[in-house]
Amino acid sequence: LDATVKQISTAAVTDLKMRHEALTTALNASHHAGIGRIGHAIKGGCGMAGAMEAADLGARLEAESDQLNNCRAALTHLTNAIDNLQGMLEQEFPG
């Protein structure tokens, strides 16, 4: 069970880092539809993985994709959520 939890959590962190980069690009291009799609993917993936802080941010990005200032703030919070998830992973599974 621990190996499965570690694998899912590691995949979630890796996916979030990739989506964070894509989200930054979409925000810089003011690509509202792209922001919404990325938010939807974060919401779904993180929700299934149990990373609720990030899932909630994904839902916010999806719902507010036309409000760039809110999305920029959510991006900052997403950075923190990634760091929190990474820290939890390292604490639970050192080495």
Side-chain angles (χ1 to χ4, degrees), residues 18 20 33 36 48 53 57-58 61 67 74 79-80 87:
M18 178 191 71
H20 185 282
M48 286 191 300
E53 179 183 12
L57 288 166
L61 287 162
Q67 300 172 32
T79 301
N80 294 334

Side-chain angles (χ1 to χ4, degrees), residues 2 6 10 86-95:
D2 281 351
K6 180 179 180 180
T10 300
Q86 181 72 47
M88 255 187 334
L89 183 60
E90 290 169 0
Q91 185 176 357
E92 286 294 318
F93 305 101

Side-chain angles (χ1 to χ4, degrees), residues 69-91:
N69 286 338
N70 290 350
C71 290
R72 290 186 202 290
L75 180 66
T76 300
H77 293 294
L78 185 60
T79 301
N80 294 334
I82 293 168
D83 290 344
N84 291 342
L85 189 56
Q86 181 72 47
M88 255 187 334
L89 183 60
E90 290 169 0
Q91 185 176 357

Side-chain angles (χ1 to χ4, degrees), residues 8-23:
I8 291 169
S9 298
T10 300
V13 168
T14 300
D15 185 65
L16 276 173
K17 288 179 180 178
M18 178 191 71
R19 294 197 191 279
H20 185 282
E21 186 175 319
L23 182 59

